Amino acid sequence: MAPAQTADQSIQERFEAFHDLNPWVFRALERMTADCADKGFKQLGIGMLFEVLRWRYGQATEGDPFRLNNNFRSRYVRLLIEQHPEWARLFELRALRSS
């Protein structure tokens, strides 16, 4: 069952709830990023990875009406870099606009 989301929740709080319900999303992003790094990619966009996930998995997520919410892209890329600092060179990070 999906946790209730309220308008006063921050993007970070909504991301954490989604991530807890859908740990496979992060694992899939890890696998795709590792594959790209192994193939010698110099740059990688989280947007591209999200679109591949949407194409591959369709409506397999739970807990967010937008399925793979674009607001979570920046959180996922930061989590990828936190878990795999060697991938920092692959992604361009911008300042977060809201919390």
Side-chain angles (χ1 to χ4, degrees):
M1 182 172 170
Q5 294 190 8
T6 62
D8 63 333
Q9 285 181 305
S10 69
I11 293 172
Q12 185 64 34
E13 290 168 329
R14 291 192 313 266
F15 166 73
E16 290 170 5
F18 178 86
H19 179 58
D20 287 345
L21 282 174
N22 300 284
W24 67 268
V25 171
F26 181 72
R27 289 191 305 269
L29 290 170
E30 277 184 309
R31 283 191 304 273
M32 288 190 298
T33 302
D35 185 46
C36 290
D38 290 347
K39 288 183 173 147
F41 280 50
K42 301 292 184 219
Q43 289 185 307
L44 191 56
I46 192 68
M48 179 196 74
L49 298 177
F50 252 53
E51 295 307 323
V52 170
L53 278 183
R54 284 184 174 124
W55 179 73
R56 285 186 181 171
Y57 298 105
Q59 298 183 0
T61 59
E62 296 179 37
D64 190 284
F66 298 105
R67 306 297 176 196
L68 287 176
N69 189 325
N70 285 340
N71 290 335
F72 300 158
R73 290 177 177 195
S74 60
R75 273 51 182 191
Y76 274 116
V77 76
R78 283 167 171 75
L79 189 55
L80 285 167
I81 291 170
E82 178 184 306
Q83 297 294 316
H84 305 275
E86 69 277 14
W87 293 344
R89 65 177 173 76
L90 294 172
F91 296 100
E92 178 184 335
L93 292 181
R94 296 182 183 148
L96 294 174
R97 288 189 271 168
S98 62
S99 54

